[in-house]
Amino acid sequence: MSFASLGLSEPILRAVAQSGYSTPTPIQSKAIPVILAGRDVMAAAQTGTGKTAGFVLPLLQRLAGGAEVQANQVRVLVLMPTRELAIQVGESVAGYGRYLPLKSAVVYGGVKINPQMMKLRGGIDILVATPGRLLDLFSQNAVKFSRLETLVLDEADKMLDLGFNDEIQKILALLPKKRQNLLFSATFSDDIRQLTGTLLKNPVLLEVSPRNSAAGSVKQLVYEVDKNKKPSLLSHLVRNKDWQQVLVFCRTKKGTEQLVSKLKGDKISAAAIHGDKSQAERSRVLTDFKANKIRVLVATDIAARGIDITELPQVVNFDLPKVPEDYIHRIGRTGRAGSQGEAISLVNADEVKLLYAIESLLGRVLIREVVTGFIPHHQVPLSRQLKLGPKKPKKPKKSWR
Ligand code: AMP
């Protein structure tokens, strides 16, 4: 099964390919044709199943085929329970829709409302919102729903757990009766069933188990850290996580050598491969690494590309690549059949632009963590929402103030 066979158009297929996905996940194969056909959907799907692309891709396609959005109108509304989830979905929308002339935005509470009102003026094709802020925006006439085509309630169980039922009911009352509805929830409690009963019309029911890690999936994480602490953080991780075989990427030859000295100083067996090493040296190092005689292999992108190292449990980006596509090559080294691979990037504040470029290529934000004892003094800010589409928003005919 390929994405193309699901009926998706070329600009979407191109963006999907850039995210590094070759085959649709089960929820995607099931949901995409049904959503493209305009049906209501009730899906039991957890995070990790690929459900976001499962609804974003077909909705982008439907939007691209329809009429242009009008001032302050929204064509697809995605309700999310938290700001973090809203941002993540917003990044996915921006990434998958990057070759389409559509506008997307994310709105959530806890920040100034005015910039959000400005953004909504020209109308938005896909708006990702948390319920409270959306109602505030509506009460200030910043957003209209009379042309709404599709409503998505994502993480519906979480939404009810957080006490958003009243807000959801208020929002539902504002929407046109004729519309497509999609509901995603990890669990189906009585409360959810009650909600689906009033919300969905003749829905298609979809159920999938969480994505199978035996397929060789890669867990991706970012550790925020100050630049000067990166070498000691790496030693700490190798020891504490008991990594036995880890491939570490460095940008420069000098960097690989310095890191190997540091690791050896910390009594961790390590070796470097880069362009200045002879072929014989490289082969020897590689054989030792494969035989588990060397725990850490530190490589430059070019050196690693020329050699057959695949199916590693652990890859570390000691520094981020200058070219975002190299990130995909690097993490492609991990993901062993039967177990989940892990790709960890050590990122300092100076690398923030490189990180955004990678996240934009992936179409999503990477999960951030910090390690006790290595909490950075210089934070790595979250990427600002990516803007979609080449078109400039049209000026509204009249001001709503
Ligand atoms: P989600 O369940 O939407 O939160 O997605 C879980 C993860 O799966 C995200 O990291 C996606 O980038 C990734 N993903 C989504 N679709 C695919 C696919 N077809 N192949 C590989 N990874 C995917």
Side-chain angles (χ1 to χ4, degrees):
M1 171 83 71
S2 66
F3 279 101
S5 67
L6 294 173
L8 295 170
S9 61
E10 193 279 329
I12 296 176
L13 293 175
R14 201 162 10 129
V16 167
Q18 276 188 4
S19 303
Y21 313 154
S22 49
T23 357
T25 64
I27 186 78
Q28 290 165 359
S29 322
K30 290 181 186 174
I32 291 173
V34 174
I35 297 173
L36 277 177
R39 292 285 303 269
D40 277 14
V41 167
M42 168 169 144
Q46 298 175 344
T47 302
T49 53
K51 67 181 160 86
T52 312
F55 69 81
V56 171
L57 301 177
L59 290 179
L60 284 169
Q61 175 140 333
R62 281 173 66 81
L63 287 169
E68 204 175 319
V69 68
Q70 297 183 2
N72 294 101
Q73 296 283 354
V74 171
R75 296 176 66 200
V76 167
L77 173 63
V78 183
L79 286 180
M80 300 296 303
T82 67
R83 163 194 167 131
E84 288 72 24
L85 288 168
I87 292 173
Q88 269 183 34
V89 170
E91 298 277 355
S92 293
V93 170
Y96 299 139
R98 68 165 77 89
Y99 299 116
L100 292 170
L102 297 170
K103 288 178 276 179
S104 73
V106 186
V107 294
Y108 43 79
V111 294
K112 280 190 194 147
I113 199 166
N114 269 43
Q116 298 180 349
M117 295 170 79
M118 298 294 287
K119 227 185 297 176
L120 292 168
R121 275 191 176 192
I124 292 291
D125 291 289
I126 299 198
L127 180 66
V128 185
T130 52
R133 176 52 60 101
L134 186 72
L135 286 168
D136 286 349
L137 285 160
F138 182 83
S139 68
Q140 303 209 36
N141 288 329
V143 60
K144 294 176 184 166
F145 299 114
S146 51
R147 299 292 180 92
L148 190 92
E149 295 163 37
T150 305
L151 168 72
V152 183
L153 271 185
D154 195 9
E155 307 269 345
D157 48 349
K158 197 161 190 176
M159 203 99 85
L160 295 186
D161 285 350
L162 292 173
F164 281 131
N165 193 34
D166 287 354
E167 281 87 348
I168 292 173
Q169 296 305 332
K170 278 184 200 154
I171 293 168
L172 292 181
L174 305 172
L175 307 182
K177 290 227 160 41
K178 193 169 169 295
R179 57 168 201 264
Q180 182 183 29
N181 298 288
L182 314 176
L183 182 137
F184 291 82
S185 188
T187 55
F188 277 86
S189 61
D190 288 348
D191 286 348
I192 294 282
R193 285 179 195 285
Q194 210 175 337
L195 180 64
T196 55
T198 54
L199 183 71
L200 305 172
K201 285 189 200 87
N202 189 20
V204 176
L205 308 180
L206 303 176
E207 196 166 1
V208 292
S209 43
R211 197 152 125 243
N212 186 1
S213 53
S217 57
V218 183
K219 185 177 164 201
Q220 300 171 57
L221 270 181
V222 164
Y223 282 130
E224 292 181 31
V225 60
D226 286 335
K227 193 172 184 174
N228 60 355
K229 289 280 181 61
K230 279 190 182 185
S232 12
L233 175 58
L234 181 65
S235 288
H236 172 90
L237 291 171
V238 172
R239 281 218 203 84
N240 276 49
K241 295 190 177 260
D242 199 24
W243 289 336
Q244 294 304 324
Q245 204 184 34
V246 48
L247 175 62
V248 177
F249 285 94
C250 265
R251 231 168 15 222
T252 63
K253 295 173 199 166
K254 195 168 153 214
T256 61
E257 294 291 355
Q258 285 173 340
L259 193 53
V260 166
S261 306
K262 156 77 181 162
L263 289 163
K264 284 183 173 167
D266 288 341
K267 306 265 180 305
I268 296 169
S269 60
I273 46 167
H274 52 67
D276 289 353
K277 301 261 179 184
S278 70
Q279 191 55 48
E281 261 177 303
R282 290 197 211 180
S283 305
R284 187 183 49 76
V285 164
L286 202 65
T287 311
D288 286 353
F289 182 59
K290 283 183 174 167
N292 285 322
K293 289 184 191 157
I294 294 170
R295 263 172 107 173
V296 185
L297 182 62
V298 188
T300 56
D301 287 289
I302 312 277
R305 241 189 240 185
I307 310 162
D308 164 38
I309 324 171
T310 48
E311 302 199 332
L312 283 161
Q314 192 66 50
V315 165
V316 172
N317 296 310
F318 184 80
D319 30 43
L320 290 181
K322 282 257 190 276
V323 184
E325 283 78 7
D326 279 346
Y327 177 86
I328 310 265
H329 288 129
R330 288 178 175 191
I331 69 164
R333 300 289 187 181
T334 180
R336 193 177 254 179
S339 69
Q340 197 182 39
E342 193 179 47
I344 287 181
S345 302
L346 311 186
V347 179
N348 64 279
D350 295 343
E351 292 177 300
V352 72
K353 285 201 175 130
L354 300 175
L355 180 62
Y356 294 171
I358 290 166
E359 290 181 330
S360 141
L361 183 67
L362 293 172
R364 67 186 190 95
V365 261
L366 293 171
I367 293 170
R368 316 278 190 93
E369 288 188 6
V370 288
V371 179
T372 317
F374 297 89
I375 295 175
H377 292 106
H378 304 284
Q379 282 194 338
V380 185
L382 266 183
S383 152
R384 278 178 289 124
Q385 291 160 26
L386 303 169
K387 269 203 175 150
L388 261 193
K391 282 188 187 171
K392 284 225 157 109
K394 277 206 292 190
K395 279 204 174 134
K397 289 199 181 72
K398 62 175 188 214
S399 166
W400 25 253
R401 286 225 59 202

